Amino acid sequence: MKISYNWLIDYLPSDKPEPETVSNILTSVGLEVEKLEKYEPIRGGLNGLIIGEIVECIKHPEADNLKITKVDTGTGDTLTIVCGAQNVETAQKVVVAPVGVTIFPFRGEPLTLKKMKIRGIESEGMICAEDEIGIGESHAGIMVLPNEVETGTLLSAYYLPYTDWIFEIGLTPNRMDAMSHLGVAKDVCAWLSHKSKTSISVKSPLNNTLRKDDQSLPVEVVVENAIACARYSGVCISGVDIKASPEWMQNKLRAIDIRPVNNVVDITNFVLHETGQPLHAFDYDAIQGNKIIVKNLPANTKFITLDEKERKLDAEDLIICDGNQNPLCFGGVFGGLNSGVKNTTKNIFLESAWFDPVTTKKTALRHNLKTDASNRFEKGVDISNTVNALKRAAALIKEIAGGKISSEIIDVYPAPKQKTEVTLKNHYLKKISGKNYHADTIKNILVSLGFEILKEGQDDIRVAVPLSKMDVLLPADIIEEIMRIDGLDNIEIPSAVTFSPSLETLALQNALKEKLSEHLSATGFSEIFTNSITNSKYYGDGQNTTVKILNNLSADLDIMRPSLLETGLECIVYNINRKNNDLLLFEFGKTYSTESASNYKEVEHMCMYITGNKYPRVWNKKEQSTDIYFAKGICDKIFALAGITDVIYSPAIDEPQTLSAHANGILIASLSIVEKNKLEQFSIRQPVIFADIYWEELSNAAKALNIIYKGIPKFPVVERDLSVVVNKGIDFESVKKSIRSAAIGRLINYRLFDVFESEKVGMDKKSFAITFFFSDNEKTLTDKEIDVMMNKLIVTFEKDLQAQIRKGNNE
């Protein structure tokens, strides 16, 4: 949020602090100033430019379009300046930019003037046109000033360009009371009062002196939906003259990036940023039946808004209508095309209301209309301030645009809101703040912030909260108000800090995540974080378990993701489109599903996305594409790092391109080659392997393991190779099961190093060549002992797999 220093100090006491001091005060009271910068509508502030007088002007001997001038700048020296303007003449008062001055053109980059020769004549500066110094767009000729202007006067002193300091405040959503210059000024005055020990109040522009001039513009207001519109105030003004607003108002609005439109619209914007109360001005003559009705219209009713777009209303939209039920305005959001203030408008109806935050936000999102007014109503405005802001705006319109107050102040407020009452105990204040506050200090701070003291006890204080502070509901909120005005830097540091240690229930999971992340990063993977909100179009119409987003901000982001695959593919196609084709990515994330309106489920996953080549192309190594076996090897290493070695892979029954990984009978992961139609959905033309590890199952399996430490073997490991011929339909997982069933304790590892298919091994047969590793911690194994173990394996293979052993490979 932007706050103007010049605007802010209008409400501060006469002893006004400097911008830097104000910045420190605002940050101290919780309104963090993220940036403080000088505002100059004319870049450079006309610095260094001087008003000079041309004392001589002759034609350049070498150029028909140039003239040589002598310019008196009031310093006693006369400058020789070569000028190409057609309107340059003797005795003119002109704007001079001497050598060394930097000028800031209306368009283009700044230029620092240097002494230079133009067609053989040395020029000592420049006589400027409007566009060359940023004052205007005209380049028809040099600026000629009135003769009475004193030579040597600085242009900045003559022209007096408007300058300001702008605070950019990082306003938290709960501080709706500070969404205006008056709101910020109240905090500054509260801080000044506390530090100076004197009462300093805001110089309020609000007053109750507004009186009606006649009753020539009658209007009736009916509020049918009092929940969505708890208060509606308005007044009629006749005989207004629509024109440009005064320069002082335009300057203040431009300083905070508000574009001036006309005097009436500018006044509504001015009062909005002054008080925080949104206003809307209607063309009174467009209100049929002299009646305003605040209601909901039937769904699909057509309404043309100020941006000339035809919109279809929703039954929940709150609409301001005229007496004939014609829509005039979205309540608190956006006006209508036909009822807005135009250059021909003479009579206006000025609205100041309180609209429900939820209703306003839903309408703004539904119709993609984000305005200053809707932003404030969404956060909540001060319901007690509608009439005050209305009177302020009406008085300004009467002063600036002329006209008369032609009706009574209309105020429909059927159920006045009561102030929240909160009791603060002194011991609770001490406990939370860590500081002993004197009772007078507490009272003075709260009074300066607008709280009403209801009761002062020996050990507590009871206050009524101002309606502008909608977030203050609890004693802790009162403590926050006291602490921020006192200054969070003033909280005393205790001599000892006590705390109760807590048990970290997710320590193992977090440690395992860190371990696996470090391994994958070292292997060449990059970690990604994708959006858990995604597009329902990725999943078709058959998904009945998806979690749908209510009031989604974007049509493309309307559900919680049921799978991490699609959001990962978005990342892959983003990289491929930028010629980054070889990708190794991993992500920790959640998927979401629902079985009923109240039964939601979150599942955590660790996913890997693999596409392109395994390694970059180099001179001594051929390119090799990634495949599902590469992904399986990565998964094996992940399982091993988690302490899980007994993992069985099997093809998924309903998905032929998917491998399922089980540990102790529990599914812990699935690996798949992404289907072609899914890749085409994202315009991906290269294979992608997707590995989905179910994190809870993996971490539970890791927790169930008993870690056993063993010393490094003192005796050599013996290797033996065996070639096992089996039917072609038998996979290696079946071989692994058979090896485990043999239960050979001194078999420490085995490795498949070849798969061979040929007529030599038989029709519909294949051969697995396996290396077995044997070791004993107590002695060196003999050939006889190893032969016994190998024979046990052979018998097991023959029994379980009807295998044949190729002789000569077991030596």
Side-chain angles (χ1 to χ4, degrees), residues 1 39 65 79 84 153 171 230 269 273 325 421 428 437 543 634 651 715 799:
M1 184 184 73
Y39 168 76
N65 295 326
L79 301 179
T153 302
L171 197 65
N269 284 328
H273 289 275
Q325 312 287 325
E421 296 183 5
Y428 186 60
Y437 285 96
Q543 290 282 343
I634 297 293
F715 303 97
K799 178 183 176 183

Side-chain angles (χ1 to χ4, degrees), residues 17 184 195 222 659 714:
V184 172
K195 297 304 177 184
V222 177
L659 284 178
K714 298 179 181 179

Side-chain angles (χ1 to χ4, degrees), residues 570-775:
E570 287 180 334
C571 180
I572 288 173
V573 73
Y574 181 89
N575 280 270
I576 290 175
N577 289 341
R578 287 154 181 81
K579 307 300 182 183
N580 187 18
N581 298 331
D582 303 331
L583 299 169
L584 300 174
L585 309 173
F586 76 98
E587 176 179 17
F588 291 94
K590 292 182 178 181
T591 57
Y592 307 85
S593 60
T594 180
E595 295 177 1
S596 65
S598 59
N599 185 14
Y600 294 95
K601 186 178 180 182
E602 292 184 17
V603 178
E604 190 163 4
H605 302 254
M606 174 186 175
C607 294
M608 291 180 290
Y609 314 88
I610 300 168
T611 187
N613 295 319
K614 295 180 185 177
Y615 313 106
R617 183 171 59 183
V618 292
W619 66 274
N620 63 347
K621 187 181 294 184
K622 292 183 178 180
E623 290 182 349
Q624 186 177 2
S625 298
T626 54
D627 52 28
I628 198 165
Y629 300 107
F630 175 76
K632 178 181 174 295
I634 297 293
C635 287
D636 284 339
K637 185 61 179 177
I638 286 173
F639 299 148
L641 288 170
I644 305 170
T645 55
D646 192 14
V647 179
I648 298 174
Y649 291 90
S650 59
I653 296 174
D654 53 347
E655 297 181 38
Q657 290 187 305
T658 299
L659 284 178
S660 298
H662 293 78
N664 297 323
I666 298 173
L667 179 65
I668 60 172
S670 62
L671 290 75
S672 62
I673 301 171
V674 181
E675 295 178 357
K676 187 177 180 181
N677 59 352
K678 177 62 70 172
L679 296 178
E680 288 175 349
Q681 193 176 12
F682 291 85
S683 301
I684 297 174
R685 296 180 178 84
Q686 62 188 54
V688 177
I689 296 99
F690 176 59
D692 188 358
I693 298 173
Y694 308 112
W695 183 251
E696 184 176 353
E697 286 74 11
L698 179 72
S699 56
N700 287 340
K703 280 192 289 187
L705 294 172
N706 292 320
I707 300 174
I708 301 173
Y709 294 92
K710 294 181 179 180
I712 298 173
K714 298 179 181 179
F715 303 97
V717 176
V718 180
E719 300 180 18
R720 287 289 179 90
D721 293 344
L722 191 66
S723 182
V724 182
V725 179
V726 296
N727 289 331
K728 198 171 183 180
I730 295 176
D731 57 25
F732 190 65
E733 282 298 326
S734 301
V735 178
K736 290 167 68 175
K737 287 181 184 178
S738 188
I739 294 171
R740 284 193 292 270
S741 69
I744 300 173
R746 288 181 288 187
L747 175 62
I748 62 171
N749 199 5
Y750 54 89
R751 183 181 302 132
L752 176 69
F753 67 87
D754 188 32
V755 179
F756 180 66
E757 295 183 26
S758 171
E759 293 181 359
K760 294 181 180 180
V761 297
M763 291 293 293
D764 295 324
K765 300 284 185 180
K766 63 182 174 183
S767 171
F768 291 120
I770 309 167
T771 300
F772 296 91
F773 300 87
F774 302 94
S775 178

Side-chain angles (χ1 to χ4, degrees), residues 412-711:
V412 180
Y413 194 14
K417 184 175 176 59
Q418 302 301 311
K419 292 182 178 180
T420 302
E421 296 183 5
V422 181
T423 299
L424 176 63
K425 302 285 187 181
N426 291 343
H427 70 86
Y428 186 60
L429 173 60
K430 171 68 169 65
K431 177 184 176 181
I432 299 298
S433 68
K435 185 175 180 179
N436 281 314
Y437 285 96
H438 193 278
D440 289 341
T441 300
I442 298 171
K443 177 182 176 181
N444 292 337
I445 289 176
L446 293 177
V447 169
S448 68
L449 289 172
F451 289 82
E452 180 185 350
I453 308 299
L454 301 177
K455 177 186 174 184
E456 291 183 79
Q458 187 174 356
D459 299 319
D460 60 15
I461 185 171
R462 186 166 183 80
V463 298
V465 181
L467 294 174
S468 60
K469 293 184 177 293
M470 296 176 63
D471 66 309
V472 179
L473 303 170
L474 304 171
D477 299 326
I478 301 289
I479 293 172
E480 180 186 355
E481 294 292 290
I482 294 169
M483 291 175 65
R484 68 182 185 84
I485 297 301
D486 182 47
L488 296 177
D489 292 341
N490 295 327
I491 300 301
E492 299 166 357
I493 300 175
S495 58
V497 178
T498 60
F499 64 94
S500 299
S502 60
L503 181 64
E504 176 54 75
T505 56
L506 298 177
L508 177 62
Q509 289 194 28
N510 292 335
L512 184 58
K513 274 186 182 180
E514 189 69 23
K515 184 178 182 180
L516 300 184
S517 296
E518 289 180 357
H519 167 72
L520 289 172
S521 297
T523 311
F525 279 75
S526 299
E527 186 170 8
I528 61 173
F529 297 92
T530 58
N531 196 346
S532 58
I533 306 175
T534 187
N535 194 336
S536 59
K537 294 179 181 178
Y538 294 154
Y539 306 95
D541 299 327
Q543 290 282 343
N544 297 321
T545 60
T546 53
V547 180
K548 296 178 175 61
I549 303 294
L550 299 177
N551 300 318
N552 47 299
L553 294 174
S554 166
D556 294 331
L557 298 172
D558 57 346
I559 63 168
M560 304 295 288
R561 63 184 174 198
S563 164
L564 270 76
L565 172 61
E566 286 73 16
T567 53
L569 291 178
E570 287 180 334
C571 180
I572 288 173
V573 73
Y574 181 89
N575 280 270
I576 290 175
N577 289 341
R578 287 154 181 81
K579 307 300 182 183
N580 187 18
N581 298 331
D582 303 331
L583 299 169
L584 300 174
L585 309 173
F586 76 98
E587 176 179 17
F588 291 94
K590 292 182 178 181
T591 57
Y592 307 85
S593 60
T594 180
E595 295 177 1
S596 65
S598 59
N599 185 14
Y600 294 95
K601 186 178 180 182
E602 292 184 17
V603 178
E604 190 163 4
H605 302 254
M606 174 186 175
C607 294
M608 291 180 290
Y609 314 88
I610 300 168
T611 187
N613 295 319
K614 295 180 185 177
Y615 313 106
R617 183 171 59 183
V618 292
W619 66 274
N620 63 347
K621 187 181 294 184
K622 292 183 178 180
E623 290 182 349
Q624 186 177 2
S625 298
T626 54
D627 52 28
I628 198 165
Y629 300 107
F630 175 76
K632 178 181 174 295
I634 297 293
C635 287
D636 284 339
K637 185 61 179 177
I638 286 173
F639 299 148
L641 288 170
I644 305 170
T645 55
D646 192 14
V647 179
I648 298 174
Y649 291 90
S650 59
I653 296 174
D654 53 347
E655 297 181 38
Q657 290 187 305
T658 299
L659 284 178
S660 298
H662 293 78
N664 297 323
I666 298 173
L667 179 65
I668 60 172
S670 62
L671 290 75
S672 62
I673 301 171
V674 181
E675 295 178 357
K676 187 177 180 181
N677 59 352
K678 177 62 70 172
L679 296 178
E680 288 175 349
Q681 193 176 12
F682 291 85
S683 301
I684 297 174
R685 296 180 178 84
Q686 62 188 54
V688 177
I689 296 99
F690 176 59
D692 188 358
I693 298 173
Y694 308 112
W695 183 251
E696 184 176 353
E697 286 74 11
L698 179 72
S699 56
N700 287 340
K703 280 192 289 187
L705 294 172
N706 292 320
I707 300 174
I708 301 173
Y709 294 92
K710 294 181 179 180

Side-chain angles (χ1 to χ4, degrees), residues 109-309:
E109 297 300 316
L111 173 67
T112 301
L113 296 179
K114 299 178 181 178
K115 187 180 290 188
M116 61 186 301
K117 284 189 175 181
I118 302 176
R119 294 291 184 95
I121 304 297
E122 193 169 65
S123 183
E124 299 174 303
M126 180 177 180
I127 302 175
C128 303
E130 281 186 9
D131 66 327
E132 292 168 336
I133 58 176
I135 287 179
E137 299 184 58
S138 173
H139 194 68
I142 60 170
M143 287 181 64
V144 180
L145 304 177
N147 288 328
E148 57 268 20
V149 180
E150 186 176 347
T151 300
T153 302
L154 292 175
L155 184 62
S156 58
Y158 169 76
Y159 195 78
L160 293 176
Y162 181 82
T163 60
D164 199 351
W165 288 91
I166 303 300
F167 306 96
E168 285 206 20
I169 297 176
L171 197 65
T172 53
N174 63 314
R175 290 302 311 278
M176 51 75 59
D177 60 303
M179 292 186 69
S180 65
H181 286 76
L182 267 175
V184 172
K186 288 176 182 177
D187 270 9
V188 174
C189 287
W191 187 92
L192 292 173
S193 296
H194 177 61
K195 297 304 177 184
S196 66
K197 309 298 181 186
T198 58
S199 178
I200 298 176
S201 300
V202 167
K203 294 163 61 177
S204 176
L206 307 178
N207 57 65
N208 291 314
T209 60
L210 188 72
R211 299 289 182 269
K212 70 173 182 179
D213 297 306
D214 57 47
Q215 198 75 26
S216 60
L217 298 180
V219 69
E220 179 188 358
V221 173
V222 177
V223 177
E224 293 187 6
N225 188 343
I227 296 175
C229 178
R231 188 174 190 181
Y232 192 94
S233 308
V235 69
C236 297
I237 307 172
S238 63
V240 296
D241 183 15
I242 304 299
K243 57 185 178 182
S245 53
E247 188 175 355
W248 66 266
M249 182 174 286
Q250 292 192 39
N251 286 336
K252 287 186 174 181
L253 292 175
R254 286 195 184 102
I256 59 170
D257 292 340
I258 303 296
R259 180 180 63 87
V261 179
N262 59 51
N263 48 11
V264 172
V265 173
D266 291 352
I267 287 169
T268 61
N269 284 328
F270 179 85
V271 174
L272 165 64
H273 289 275
E274 180 180 62
T275 67
Q277 172 63 45
L279 304 166
H280 187 73
F282 297 91
D283 187 332
Y284 176 86
D285 296 319
I287 303 173
Q288 298 182 24
N290 296 337
K291 188 175 184 179
I292 291 289
I293 306 173
V294 184
K295 62 179 297 181
N296 301 93
L297 289 176
N300 296 320
T301 301
K302 294 180 180 180
F303 175 42
I304 302 176
T305 47
L306 273 172
D307 54 4
E308 300 183 4
K309 292 183 180 179

Side-chain angles (χ1 to χ4, degrees), residues 332-349:
V333 180
F334 205 52
L337 179 65
N338 299 322
S339 63
V341 173
K342 300 173 280 291
N343 291 336
T344 57
T345 297
K346 290 300 178 184
N347 305 312
I348 64 172
F349 173 72

Side-chain angles (χ1 to χ4, degrees), residues 24-38:
N24 293 333
I25 293 172
L26 294 179
T27 300
S28 176
V29 300
L31 302 176
E32 183 181 0
V33 176
E34 297 176 341
K35 184 174 20 173
L36 171 62
E37 62 181 359
K38 190 172 184 179

